[in-house]
């Protein structure tokens, strides 16, 4: 399975969307940011990808990796 990255972004019509990197259509649309974050996390965990979260000010405020993180090497 290839790594897929997801973004939690505000919608011009209101609410929040989960968008897969490179896709124009939303994977999910929700009324709250919290709901979109949970959906994005679940999708990213399944594909060992990343979630990038946009704040209400439209600036990206957080990024989380799920899966093969080179900074988390146990030896």
């Amino acid at each position: 399975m290839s790594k897929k990255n997801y973004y939690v972004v505000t919608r011009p019509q209101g609410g929040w969307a989960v968008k897969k990197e490179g896709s124009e259509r939303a994977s999910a649309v929700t009324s709250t940011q919290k709901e979109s974050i949970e959906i994005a996390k679940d999708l990213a965990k399944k594909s060992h990808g990343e979630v990038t979260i946009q704040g209400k000010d439209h600036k990206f405020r957080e990024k989380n990796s799920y899966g093969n993180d080179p900074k988390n090497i146990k030896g």
Side-chain angles (χ1 to χ4, degrees):
M1 176 179 279
S2 65
K3 177 176 103 167
K4 294 183 176 96
N5 298 321
Y6 294 89
Y7 294 85
V8 174
V9 296
T10 58
R11 297 182 68 228
Q13 308 88 333
W16 296 83
V18 177
K19 293 186 80 174
K20 183 171 63 172
E21 186 172 50
S23 179
E24 289 187 32
R25 294 187 64 182
S27 299
V29 174
T30 66
S31 58
T32 68
Q33 185 186 45
K34 184 177 179 177
E35 289 175 297
S36 283
I37 290 170
E38 290 304 314
I39 292 168
K41 281 182 185 180
D42 288 343
L43 292 168
K45 285 177 184 177
K46 290 176 185 174
S47 70
H48 302 281
E50 293 183 341
V51 174
T52 304
I53 301 168
Q54 184 180 55
K56 291 179 183 178
D57 61 359
H58 302 283
K59 294 181 183 178
F60 289 102
R61 63 175 177 89
E62 187 177 337
K63 184 181 244 184
N64 296 301
S65 295
Y66 299 93
N68 215 4
D69 188 350
K71 294 182 182 179
N72 190 17
I73 298 173
K74 296 180 183 176

